[in-house]
Amino acid sequence: MSGGKTPREPYAMAEGLRRILCISAHPDDNEFTIAGSVARWAREGREVAFCLVTSGAAGTNEHTPSNDGLAPIRERESREAAGILGVREAIFLGYQDGVVEPTLGLRRDLTRVIRRFRPDVVVSGDPTVRWYGNEYLNHPDHRAVASAALDAVFPSAETRVIFPELLAEGLEPHKVKEVLISGAVPPDIWVDIGDTLPVKCAALRAHVSQVGPGEWVEGMLQGWAAETGARAGIKFAEAYRRMVLQRGT
Ligand SMILES: [Zn+2]
């Protein structure tokens, strides 16, 4: 068996793609998945923003019946993690954690964020994946947010007659040029995160309410990055499916 290893050129984002919006469900999703790439893109001088649909109030079972007190803590941790990664802005939409659905309302809210921030690239999850391997059922919030995010990118953000109320807010249509889908099965590009893996670990450790002392963070993230990279002949990588919606950048 060859193990399916095919050496690949790591993905290098085109110079002209300057603004990147990362849309995810929970405050720490980016730090578990795409943060090595994010830190790399920020170091390359690109403007990166996070849009977090919930504030993660269901991130513990210790507080009952309401976890509202956890939301501000998680927002603060997210801002700290974003700062470590070189991300200037974290936008919270305030949806209830654990029960997100891909509604028209969510699509409108994400379209609003896209038309405001006007990204060249949107990074989101894969709404089609129900499970990974044999031990993780993909969280329904992840699927719902990814589904609404892709629908917001196309056709909603770029089409004038969809959500006319956004025009009334002064938000003109915007065409996203590229979409990178994290957690896609199978991926088709790999980002070399060898230089930024330590920053990714530091950012995840900022989520103290979730990872505690976090002594396991380095080992776990390094293991994932090595496993992902092995499929492309890169030491440490994060992988995506790349959709090019507008060529020539
Ligand atoms: Zn999550």
Side-chain angles (χ1 to χ4, degrees), residues 4 15 22 57 76 87 103 114 117 137 143 200 212 215 238:
E15 194 58 36
C22 307
R76 194 188 65 232
V87 172
T103 60
I114 291 169
F117 184 72
L137 293 171
R143 288 186 282 115
K200 178 178 186 175
E215 63 279 354
E238 290 166 348

Side-chain angles (χ1 to χ4, degrees), residues 25-26 28-29 136 139 142:
H26 306 124
D28 54 5
D29 287 348
Y136 180 63
H139 195 297
H142 297 166

Side-chain angles (χ1 to χ4, degrees), residues 12-185:
M13 188 176 281
E15 194 58 36
L17 300 173
R18 307 306 308 167
R19 299 176 68 77
I20 303 166
L21 176 66
C22 307
I23 299 172
S24 50
H26 306 124
D28 54 5
D29 287 348
N30 293 328
E31 284 69 42
F32 276 106
T33 55
I34 63 172
S37 311
V38 165
R40 183 189 176 107
W41 296 326
R43 282 183 182 184
E44 290 169 353
R46 303 175 211 265
E47 184 93 12
V48 189
F50 285 171
C51 176
L52 304 165
V53 170
T54 80
S55 295
T60 175
N61 282 327
E62 285 172 22
H63 305 272
T64 54
S66 163
N67 283 323
D68 289 348
L70 189 58
I73 294 169
R74 298 208 65 188
E75 290 186 11
R76 194 188 65 232
E77 291 172 348
S78 297
R79 290 205 167 87
E80 194 178 326
I84 290 168
L85 297 169
V87 172
R88 304 226 187 110
E89 191 180 2
I91 303 155
F92 291 90
L93 297 187
Y95 279 64
Q96 194 185 339
D97 188 5
V99 291
V100 182
E101 290 193 277
T103 60
L104 270 182
L106 176 56
R107 197 210 295 185
R108 180 192 300 111
D109 286 343
L110 292 172
T111 302
R112 179 184 289 110
V113 172
I114 291 169
R115 288 195 188 178
R116 269 196 191 134
F117 184 72
R118 307 189 81 73
D120 301 307
V121 180
V122 166
V123 184
S124 190
D126 185 335
T128 70
V129 178
R130 292 298 304 256
W131 53 73
Y132 291 97
N134 296 92
E135 295 178 3
Y136 180 63
L137 293 171
N138 195 12
H139 195 297
D141 289 356
H142 297 166
R143 288 186 282 115
V145 168
S147 184
L150 296 183
D151 291 346
V153 167
F154 178 85
S156 310
E158 66 179 62
T159 306
R160 184 166 289 277
V161 296
I162 301 178
F163 302 135
E165 60 271 40
L166 297 182
L167 287 179
E169 294 175 25
L171 297 169
E172 290 292 316
H174 174 73
K175 172 103 181 153
V176 173
K177 295 170 181 162
E178 213 166 281
V179 178
L180 299 182
I181 298 170
S182 166
V185 182

